[in-house]
């Protein structure tokens, strides 16, 4: 099969996105909370929603 004929990878299934991605948060009690792909995606969505364009300089 040539590279042009390959089908794109299917999207990540919801149950897979709950698996830890290699990091953890520490809560108030000192317990580790594994970071999941869903947590990262949610944080990116929040950042994008709160993004503000930089102020223009007056030269």
């Amino acid at each position: 099969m040539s590279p042009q004929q390959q089908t794109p990878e299917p999207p990540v299934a919801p149950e897979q996105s709950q698996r830890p991605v290699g990091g953890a948060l520490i809560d108030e009690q000192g317990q580790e909370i594994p970071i999941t792909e869903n947590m990262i995606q949610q944080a990116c969505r929040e950042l994008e929603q709160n993004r503000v364009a930089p102020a223009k300089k007056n030269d």
Side-chain angles (χ1 to χ4, degrees):
M1 188 182 279
S2 72
Q4 291 83 12
Q5 294 174 334
Q6 292 179 346
T7 58
E9 299 236 352
V12 175
E15 62 274 0
Q16 290 178 329
S17 60
Q18 290 299 321
R19 292 189 301 188
V21 293
L25 302 170
I26 307 296
D27 68 10
E28 295 83 17
Q29 290 77 35
Q31 296 176 322
E32 288 188 359
I33 301 170
I35 298 172
T36 65
E37 184 175 339
N38 279 351
M39 293 167 78
I40 294 170
Q41 290 176 356
Q42 178 64 31
C44 290
R45 281 192 293 272
E46 289 177 21
L47 285 171
E48 187 64 27
Q49 289 172 354
N50 295 312
R51 185 170 58 128
V52 177
K56 291 187 177 185
K57 290 183 180 181
N58 292 331
D59 290 332

